[in-house]
Each structure stands twice: as structure tokens, then as C-alpha cells.
Amino acid sequence: MRLMIEPFKKPIYVTRPFLPPLEEFCQGLEEIWETRWLTNNGPILRRFTQKLCDFFETDNICLFNNGTLALQIALQGMGISGEVITTPFTFVATINALFWNKIKPVFVDIEPEFYTIDPEKVEAAITPRTTAILAVHVYGYPCKLNVLANIARRHNIKLIYDAAHAFGVNVGNKSIAHCGDLSMLSFHATKPFHSLEGGLLIFKEPGLKGTFDYLKNFGFKNELEVVIPGTNAKMNEMQALMGIKVIKYFEEVIRKRAVITDLYRWRLKEIPGIHLLPALPSEIRYNYAYMPIEVDEQEFGMSRDGLYENLKQYNVYARRYFYPLICDYACYRNISVKDPLTVARRVASRILTLPIYDSLALSDSERICEIIAALTTRS
Ligand code: T4K
């Protein structure tokens, strides 16, 4: 194939983790070498926990070694059972956390604007077996917070947010993680804020903290007592150290991502068949976690998959987050889905998330836009 624009010399991935200056991380390592305390509620983890309490202005938090186990333990600790209404347009971990708790996911459609769960569909799907709504702030875009809160209150069910993508997203001047009964945030390396891997729960009910602490540490109360059959989901000192070092740079990371996003949006809006999400309401402070576009095959002259494959020829590795829908994975296909999922199916077939990370040069994002523009057969 003849390429119209020079391919990138090195691969451009959908994301790259932010790394703090090596000397700063090494300073922290020296402390670990000195104390030989590597895990099990060490001093650095305790400091990281305090930093997060300050950041979120609450003591109702609990840290984990990853977001998946955090969510799994949240569901278990809150006693969620039966049916949970959720979205099929998410990362598989959302639904795996239900599966591990023997909870039946009830998939309902998403809204076309920001791809979050459609509250009307949620309400219509509630049955006497429903114990909770598990909504996802997908790409960090806020769900319909007030409407969902009203539904949960009226039906006396829990409202749980998978806020894996939403660290740094504020509503007014408050973190979105305060919405609902509980939110889970992921600190995985691919997120704008990370601790190598990690997960955080933020919750309303203070009594849950003790339960979560037991569940993530085998259920140990002391050397002689195990109060609950827990698992091992503790964050270790290296993770906590990375978290402490990265959080210092978080605002800078967000600012850089914002500039890249602006450039993408400005360049891509000109290209026929490339659809961008609408601007967020002014009271939302976004974290620019992802750069999703929808590809309209008719208008663009090439399918989403065609664009995805063609970009690879240029060494650009965009991703189809979140395709396929979770209910279409082989391991979940046996779950009956009543909702036709019209919007979710359309979005999953058109979505593509473009590379975005703080160290992506503006000239590189500009070139990615040029490549996309050159690939359309309709311009
Ligand atoms: N809920 C939702 C809605 C989620 O999106 C996630 C995770 C979870 C729950 C669970 O949270 P965690 O248990 O993960 O804390 C990635 C991430 O592994 C996953 O955390 C994330 N969502 C999901 C959306 O994306 P993959 O399999 O696509 O990642 P991978 O390894 O292909 O990485 C993507 C690109 O990032 C690579 O092509 C290159 C770059 N990369 C990646 C890593 C790990 C690096 O440059 N360096 C790295 O260290 O799942």
C-alpha cells in the first residue's frame, strides 16, 4: 500500500503512562530499601492514603491493588446480590466484578450523547430482584447523576459508580467520586492518574471501611482471628510510592491533555464522517482521559474497522474501546438481554479512541489528524 503521509517511526499507542522524574522515584525507593517494608499497610501506603483523604476531602476511602478487585470487594462488602442494572458499553472488568459475586447483570442501553447509561431504561428494568444500579462514567463523562440518584432513592436500591476513568473529574468543585453510594476509581498505568496499578473506593457509609479493610486483607482481625473469608487485594509500597509521585504532577498532566484534546477537536471537526462528542456542561471539570470519535462509514467512506487497520499502517495504534459490547463476549452471551441496546450497538460499531497522553507531541496529534483526513475518500 502506498502511504500518503510519512508513517511514524515509533509506534504511537492509545496511551502512555505519565512517569515522574526518575530521581524523585529513586528517592522514595531509598526509603523502601532502608525500612524493608514492602507491603501490608506500610508507611508509604499510609501517607498515600492520607494524601487521597485530603484530595477527596473525606476519610471514607479504601485503597486496593487494582480497580477490578476494589469493585468486586465493594459489591461483596455492600451485600449486593440478585440483579444489578448496568451498561454493556464498558470495560469487561465492570461486569466481571458482578460475575465474581454471582450477581446477574441486567444490560440496558446508553444515551447517544456521552454513552452513559440511559436512566429511563434503568427505571424500566427494575424488578423486585434488583438491588443496585452499576453505572459507568465512561471515558470520564459523568452519568446523569441527579436522575439516577432519584431512581435509586425511589426504589430503595444502591447506586454504585464505576468511576475507573474519572479521577480528576469534578462536578462544580467537588469530585464526581462523591456521587452515589460508592465510586470505584482505577489507578491503572493507562489512566491519567496512576499508581502502576491500583484502585480506590469512596463511599458514603463510614461503616463500610472496616468491612473493606477486612475483605482486602484475608479477613484478618489479628493473628488469631479471621472475621470474614477475605481475599488479598492490598496495595503495596511501590504502588503507593508511584501514586504519591504522580499525584504531584496531575494538574500538569490534565492541562497537557486538554491542549491535545482541543487540537484534535479543532482538526477533526472538519473531516466528514468523523463525529465528536458534544462539549461538556460548564460545571464539569473534565480529565481528558480518552479521545473518542465515531466513524460514520457512509460519510467517511471507510468503516471504523477500516480506519483502525489503516492507522496501524502509519504506526498509530488507536483502540476500539468499548467494542464488542460486554453481552457479546462469548462468556456472557448466555445472559438474556431484553433491551435491544440500539444506541450501544451503534456506538460500539463506530467508536474509536485516538492516542492521548501528556507526552504526545502536538505535532504528532496534528499528524494523526492529517492521516485521518487523508484516509477519507469523501473529502
Ligand atoms: N472499569 C472500567 C470501566 C475500566 O475501564 C477498567 C480498566 C476497570 C474497571 C478495571 O480497573 P483496573 O483493574 O484495570 O484498575 C486497559 C487497562 O488495563 C485497564 O485498566 C482499562 N480499564 C482498560 C480500558 O484499558 P488494555 O488491555 O486495553 O491495556 P493494554 O495493555 O493494551 O494497554 C493499552 C496501551 O497502553 C498499550 O497499547 C500501550 C500502553 N501502555 C500500557 C501499559 C500497561 C504503556 O505504554 N505502558 C503500560 O505499562 O486494558
Side-chain angles (χ1 to χ4, degrees):
M1 187 180 96
R2 198 178 63 83
L3 301 180
M4 294 161 278
I5 295 167
E6 187 68 14
F8 286 96
K9 296 231 160 23
K10 286 189 179 163
I12 303 283
Y13 296 114
V14 69
T15 193
R16 308 280 12 230
F18 168 81
L19 286 174
L22 188 55
E23 327 66 270
E24 291 186 15
F25 193 72
C26 287
Q27 265 169 22
L29 286 180
E30 279 171 21
E31 179 184 341
I32 295 178
W33 256 243
E34 215 162 277
T35 60
R36 282 188 187 243
W37 202 276
L38 304 184
T39 185
N40 290 5
N41 203 24
I44 303 180
L45 179 87
R46 291 201 297 274
R47 284 209 298 277
F48 185 35
T49 307
Q50 188 52 54
K51 258 194 190 308
L52 291 168
C53 286
D54 297 344
F55 186 92
F56 288 105
E57 297 174 336
T58 177
D59 289 337
N60 294 344
I61 69 164
C62 192
L63 267 163
F64 295 83
N65 58 350
N66 61 59
T68 306
L69 280 170
L71 187 57
Q72 207 172 296
I73 286 174
L75 296 164
Q76 189 181 349
M78 292 170 85
I80 307 297
S81 61
E83 292 179 0
V84 166
I85 300 170
T86 190
T87 167
F89 188 72
T90 182
F91 188 61
V92 69
T94 314
I95 311 308
N96 290 350
L98 295 171
F99 175 87
W100 279 75
N101 280 287
K102 300 188 166 55
I103 296 165
K104 181 181 176 211
V106 176
F107 294 111
V108 299
D109 211 351
I110 56 172
E111 294 197 304
E113 275 198 326
F114 293 107
Y115 312 145
T116 50
I117 200 161
D118 182 337
E120 272 183 32
K121 297 293 184 83
V122 169
E123 186 138 36
I126 292 175
T127 73
R129 292 178 299 283
T130 309
T131 56
I133 302 164
L134 175 54
V136 181
H137 303 304
V138 67
Y139 308 134
Y141 297 132
C143 294
K144 289 269 166 69
L145 304 164
N146 295 335
V147 193
L148 288 174
N150 275 331
I151 296 172
R153 203 191 53 244
R154 273 191 280 109
H155 293 272
N156 195 23
I157 56 178
K158 297 288 181 202
L159 177 55
I160 299 170
Y161 283 112
D162 179 334
H165 305 166
F167 188 95
V169 175
N170 289 354
V171 184
N173 51 15
K174 235 180 151 196
S175 166
I176 197 169
H178 292 290
C179 298
D181 293 290
L182 173 142
S183 295
M184 178 281 286
L185 297 113
S186 165
F187 296 169
H188 186 263
T190 53
K191 305 291 184 288
F193 171 71
H194 74 92
S195 57
L196 302 170
E197 293 229 28
L200 183 76
L201 297 180
I202 300 192
F203 37 90
K204 290 251 156 57
E205 167 56 55
L208 285 172
K209 182 156 174 52
T211 310
F212 295 152
D213 281 341
Y214 283 137
L215 281 170
K216 74 173 176 186
N217 189 29
F218 313 103
F220 269 128
K221 186 170 185 187
N222 55 47
E223 281 178 52
L224 300 178
E225 283 175 279
V226 172
V227 293
I228 193 168
T231 185
N232 180 2
K234 293 176 271 84
M235 176 174 272
N236 65 47
E237 291 289 276
M238 294 283 181
Q239 292 175 293
L241 176 62
M242 184 59 93
I244 286 181
K245 298 298 175 189
V246 173
I247 205 164
K248 195 174 139 193
Y249 294 94
F250 182 65
E251 289 302 323
E252 197 179 319
V253 166
I254 294 297
R255 271 197 301 277
K256 288 185 176 162
R257 284 172 169 264
V259 173
I260 298 165
T261 303
D262 283 351
L263 180 105
Y264 267 131
R265 290 181 69 90
W266 176 62
R267 289 297 316 270
L268 293 170
K269 72 176 193 300
E270 309 295 336
I271 305 177
I274 299 297
H275 294 268
L276 302 167
L277 276 81
L280 280 160
S282 59
E283 74 270 18
I284 306 296
R285 198 290 287 259
Y286 187 46
N287 65 358
Y288 307 92
Y290 291 85
M291 180 59 223
I293 58 170
E294 275 187 50
V295 183
D296 182 311
E297 183 171 352
Q298 297 303 318
E299 290 176 44
F300 186 67
M302 181 186 282
S303 68
R304 181 278 311 274
D305 289 345
L307 177 57
Y308 167 75
E309 292 300 336
N310 269 280
L311 283 172
K312 287 187 197 167
Q313 307 285 328
Y314 291 88
N315 232 349
V316 176
Y317 295 87
R319 292 294 285 269
R320 290 167 292 187
Y321 295 133
F322 292 99
Y323 165 83
L325 295 181
I326 307 302
C327 49
D328 292 339
Y329 281 122
C331 65
Y332 289 124
R333 242 179 251 154
N334 59 340
I335 296 171
S336 66
V337 183
K338 289 199 183 122
D339 193 310
L341 306 175
T342 317
V343 179
R345 290 204 178 284
R346 199 193 67 230
V347 173
S349 69
R350 292 160 46 116
I351 200 79
L352 194 64
T353 50
L354 298 179
I356 182 151
Y357 43 94
D358 64 287
S359 56
L360 180 67
L362 282 177
S363 55
D364 287 350
S365 45
E366 177 111 41
R367 192 148 127 218
I368 293 169
C369 296
E370 278 167 21
I371 294 168
I372 296 173
L375 285 168
T376 176
T377 55
R378 298 296 151 103
S379 51

